[in-house]
Amino acid sequence: MNDTITLTSQNLRATFSPHGARLETLCFEGGPSLILHADSSEHPEWRTVYPGAIVGPIANRVRGGNVPIHGQVFQMPRNENGMTALHSGPDGLDQRIWDVIHQSNSDVQFRAQLVPGDGGLPGARTITVHYRLEAATLILDISAETDAPTPFNIAHHPYWRLGDAQDHRLQVNATHYLPVDDRNLPTGEIAPVAGTSFDHLSPKAPDPDVDHNFCIARQRRDVPEPVATLTGTDGLTLQIDSTAPGLQVYAGGFLPTLVGTEVKPGAGLALEPQDWPDSVNCPEFPDILSTPRRSFRQITRYRLFRAT
């Protein structure tokens, strides 16, 4: 059954799937999709790299899958080399068939329900994702509620390709980033980008090995603020504003090669507004615990234009 949902605005055309509340394609002014896309029925391995999906309830990596909450340690399924929980394991939000609770020509709203114990975590949880097109901007509003203390770090995982990926120039509003160990887990250090290949305060090509969280300089947490700008072929530009305190930048070095598609290692750049990875095990990182009185919300705006 074809479950594709299509939205349009004056400048954009986007398609979505309830499988993972996934953004499948995004086209600007009649051009090709600006995110990598493949037919997952022909290439089932495509879904294993989270393309365009909502990931969580804890995005990124958790050391040992261990989540301490008020003195009790909860165990998430470890789906990466038997050592870490990546994007909440094999049954994360990216694998859910979300309910479509609202749809119009320019917006769609998805909802997923998690029962206590799903993903090894406590709480009856309701996650709502609202995509909306306005002119040349895609607005993403993610919210989550729980009836018991539980962590949320929900993120969006498209692979951007603005023309030829070799043309990409990335600017990120971050003076610091999180170094990682040999398992791609944060070491706990918050390091300056100055003097490293991760200094993107001015636009430059991404390091092909980057898979790191950038610590976004923020004034407020409730209003989207500039996070990053990606410029591609012929000045085509993506501006990302978000309420999230972090941005995972992943150059796609481990993408599969899918014959008959544009998908291959390094073909797209993942830019994921998020909370900091493994915050549950790093007390010095921003807290991601939600409670019945403290819900989760992230608003991100993706605006496309041509630089002059």
Side-chain angles (χ1 to χ4, degrees):
M1 183 177 71
N2 186 350
D3 59 0
T4 299
I5 296 166
T6 300
L7 305 183
T8 59
S9 69
Q10 178 182 352
N11 305 95
L12 299 176
R13 182 180 186 273
T15 60
F16 302 85
S17 169
H19 193 148
R22 189 179 308 265
L23 173 64
E24 296 273 7
T25 63
L26 181 66
C27 303
F28 175 61
E29 295 184 344
S33 179
L34 301 180
I35 63 170
L36 284 179
H37 174 66
D39 186 337
S40 56
S41 63
E42 296 181 9
H43 303 281
E45 65 270 39
W46 181 227
R47 287 200 187 277
T48 67
V49 294
Y50 313 97
I54 298 296
V55 294
I58 303 181
N60 217 302
R61 292 172 172 87
V62 174
R63 186 177 298 275
N66 299 321
V67 179
I69 303 174
H70 296 165
Q72 182 178 355
V73 177
F74 293 84
Q75 181 64 59
M76 301 181 71
R78 291 171 291 198
N79 60 325
E80 190 175 51
N81 302 318
M83 296 181 180
T84 57
L86 175 61
H87 296 320
S88 295
D91 298 313
L93 293 175
D94 63 291
Q95 292 299 319
R96 301 271 170 162
I97 306 299
W98 294 55
D99 294 324
V100 179
I101 60 173
H102 168 79
Q103 182 181 351
S104 75
N105 291 333
S106 60
D107 75 316
V108 63
Q109 201 166 7
F110 298 100
R111 180 163 292 165
Q113 306 278 352
L114 302 181
V115 302
D118 276 349
L121 298 175
R125 291 150 286 168
T126 300
I127 300 99
T128 304
V129 169
H130 188 190
Y131 291 100
R132 184 170 78 256
L133 301 185
E134 290 186 1
T137 300
L138 169 62
I139 302 167
L140 171 58
D141 191 336
I142 307 171
S143 59
E145 297 180 343
T146 178
D147 68 354
T150 196
F152 284 120
N153 176 14
I154 303 170
H156 187 215
H157 203 297
Y159 292 95
W160 295 95
R161 181 182 174 89
L162 305 188
D164 189 334
Q166 300 302 312
D167 293 340
H168 282 163
R169 295 295 179 268
L170 176 66
Q171 180 270 331
V172 182
N173 293 332
T175 58
H176 289 74
Y177 78 106
L178 301 183
V180 298
D181 61 19
D182 58 359
R183 298 178 186 173
N184 258 12
L185 285 157
T187 63
E189 180 186 4
I190 304 170
V193 299
T196 75
S197 63
F198 305 139
D199 186 347
H200 283 278
L201 290 170
S202 297
K204 70 176 184 181
D207 185 317
D209 295 321
V210 66
D211 190 6
H212 294 73
N213 177 79
F214 287 71
C215 308
I216 303 302
R218 301 199 51 78
Q219 298 298 319
R220 297 177 58 178
R221 186 68 195 267
D222 58 339
V223 176
E225 295 179 353
V227 170
T229 301
L230 180 66
T231 303
T233 305
D234 297 330
L236 184 58
T237 300
L238 167 71
Q239 177 181 314
I240 300 178
D241 297 344
S242 184
T243 58
L247 178 74
Q248 186 78 11
V249 179
Y250 169 45
F254 292 97
L255 285 174
T257 297
L258 303 183
V259 176
T261 78
E262 294 183 332
V263 178
K264 61 182 180 180
L269 183 68
L271 300 172
E272 308 159 54
Q274 60 172 9
D275 285 85
W276 295 8
D278 202 31
S279 289
V280 292
N281 292 304
C282 297
E284 64 275 24
F285 289 2
D287 182 20
I288 65 169
L289 190 69
S290 287
T291 69
R293 292 187 176 183
R294 182 190 179 195
S295 58
F296 171 91
R297 192 175 187 195
Q298 182 202 109
I299 303 172
T300 298
R301 296 173 181 156
Y302 304 105
R303 185 169 75 91
L304 288 153
F305 59 95
R306 293 194 184 275
T308 57

